[in-house]
Amino acid sequence: MPISVNVAQSGSYLHILPRGVSSGNLSFRTCLLALMLMAIALLSPHAAAESSTWSSSRFYRTVLYLGKSAAEEQATFAIAALSQLAEVYMAEADLARAQAQRNQGNDRAKLYGWSVAVDGYANQLLLLLDEIEEGYPVKLLQSSEGAVTVRVAGRAVMLGHPRPGQQAAFEQRVLADFCAGNDCRRMTASTSDAGMQPVPLSRASVSPNWSFSERGSLCAHGGIELHFDSASELAASREFCKELLREAADLAAEFSWQERHGVVIDWTALRITATPRGPQHLIRLNHSGDSVLLSAPLLFSSPGLLDDLRPWLRSQTSGEQVVTVQLSAASYGWKVAGK
């Protein structure tokens, strides 16, 4: 069955039909579901904008800069974005097939049909990547609502995750891929960056100080003090302390990097969520949708810990005198005694 989605920005049609699939292979309902998913990803600005305000996010500002830059830079960004988007849709197809194996009858057929349609769309994205590699013209476009579109040789694809709640994580992966080989600071840095020291790309190993008393044990380093009610099970306590300091240092470095790229952190809006089917976590920095993507299992599984670390993180990011925070392992359920 030819599934055609009218792409308004280009006035063309993007045909989403893998080889060997005809209208007889897929039910009307399956086709409609596939069409709805493609329409969300390609045509609706709301699907891409639900998880962010866009107009002031680093992702949007990067695209805004690139829209006026050399064709080669736009092509490089388009490759990063379409590669990530193709992976997203291939993962959606894999998920549908896995669900189909657990179902019977019509539901199973519909899920397999859905996976075929989504795979077909992912294949179309891969074809667009081939065209970019072959030198076809590429243009990045953005609407006033915040929708970002990649246009390749007259065909357009909106950079929207099919699941709006995962849009921010998708944007951060695209930025991480693109900025790994490009100077993104010049695209989004604020005018207040002059004279600021660069953010270190790596940090030295941390060796916290330990002290022991009848009240338990205390791990301390760089303004973070973590108290354990018991001095026993030292190995487990060391692991908790090591992981806390690692995640805190990673987050402070990421926050500093974001601020150097013109991102304004709203310290009252910090929120951490998990990323589906992945080990990383998304820390929302503001209501514009700017986020940090990193592995922080302790922060995610310990309600209140991110809030308690906020004063320390803020002092680390601002370069002001380091604020000391005193934390209690018991407050987060980190019980190590009696194991």
Side-chain angles (χ1 to χ4, degrees):
M1 118 187 181
I3 303 176
S4 299
V5 179
N6 183 12
V7 183
Q9 292 89 338
S10 67
S12 65
Y13 287 84
L14 180 59
H15 297 279
I16 311 166
L17 177 62
R19 291 180 180 178
V21 178
S22 66
S23 57
N25 298 123
L26 302 176
S27 68
F28 172 77
R29 187 174 180 182
T30 298
C31 298
L32 181 60
L33 286 172
L35 179 59
M36 288 171 61
L37 186 146
M38 308 313 170
I40 287 173
L42 293 175
L43 300 178
S44 172
H46 302 293
E50 271 191 25
S51 62
S52 70
T53 306
W54 283 75
S55 59
S56 58
S57 72
R58 188 166 66 89
F59 183 84
Y60 185 84
R61 287 185 287 117
T62 301
V63 173
L64 194 64
Y65 177 96
L66 289 171
K68 302 174 184 177
S69 67
E72 184 178 351
E73 278 192 323
Q74 295 191 52
T76 302
F77 184 89
I79 289 173
L82 293 179
S83 296
Q84 290 289 340
L85 199 59
E87 289 184 14
V88 164
Y89 278 98
M90 286 187 283
E92 290 291 327
D94 288 341
L95 180 61
R97 280 188 288 270
Q99 291 175 337
Q101 293 175 0
R102 298 192 295 268
N103 286 270
Q104 300 294 328
N106 290 337
D107 287 340
R108 185 172 187 173
K110 291 172 184 176
L111 285 167
Y112 274 126
W114 170 266
S115 70
V116 169
V118 176
D119 259 339
Y121 181 57
N123 288 335
Q124 288 293 312
L125 294 176
L126 296 177
L127 290 176
L128 289 179
L129 284 168
D130 288 341
E131 291 182 345
I132 295 174
E133 296 285 357
E134 292 171 8
Y136 281 80
V138 178
K139 185 65 179 176
L140 298 178
L141 305 171
Q142 63 285 320
S143 70
S144 58
E145 294 85 5
V148 176
T149 300
V150 173
R151 189 170 64 193
V152 183
R155 293 192 296 173
V157 174
M158 187 170 287
L159 300 182
H161 197 289
R163 300 173 186 265
Q166 299 179 30
Q167 177 68 23
F170 165 72
E171 293 173 10
Q172 294 308 307
R173 291 190 180 100
V174 173
L175 285 174
D177 189 1
F178 176 71
C179 294
N182 297 271
D183 180 12
C184 288
R185 181 178 175 181
R186 64 186 170 86
M187 303 176 188
T188 58
S190 64
T191 56
S192 61
D193 287 344
M196 298 181 72
Q197 294 298 317
V199 178
L201 297 179
S202 61
R203 61 184 190 280
S205 58
V206 174
S207 299
N209 295 319
W210 284 88
S211 58
F212 305 91
S213 68
E214 66 279 359
R215 295 180 57 251
S217 58
L218 181 71
C219 159
H221 179 81
I224 296 178
E225 297 180 357
L226 177 60
H227 176 261
F228 295 90
D229 289 338
S230 172
S232 64
E233 300 296 337
L234 185 57
S237 298
R238 288 186 186 278
E239 286 302 312
F240 276 115
C241 181
K242 179 181 177 181
E243 180 62 18
L244 170 64
L245 294 176
R246 179 195 70 79
E247 293 182 19
D250 284 348
L251 200 53
E254 287 287 345
F255 281 11
S256 296
W257 191 90
Q258 293 282 342
E259 284 205 332
R260 304 300 170 91
H261 287 74
V263 172
V264 177
I265 299 175
D266 182 349
W267 295 98
T268 65
L270 298 182
R271 183 167 59 90
I272 183 170
T273 56
T275 56
R277 301 187 298 278
Q280 294 179 308
H281 301 86
L282 192 74
I283 295 89
R284 183 66 57 86
L285 305 181
N286 52 44
H287 295 293
S288 295
D290 290 303
S291 305
V292 164
L293 192 65
L294 49 71
S295 175
L298 202 60
L299 280 167
F300 175 71
S301 62
S302 306
L305 178 57
L306 182 58
D307 287 338
D308 292 341
L309 280 174
R310 186 189 293 121
W312 181 85
L313 288 166
R314 189 167 189 170
S315 68
Q316 290 283 321
T317 304
S318 65
E320 299 172 357
Q321 183 176 355
V322 176
V323 171
T324 298
V325 292
Q326 297 177 331
L327 310 174
S328 171
S331 299
Y332 314 110
W334 304 345
K335 299 178 180 179
V336 296
K339 289 187 179 181

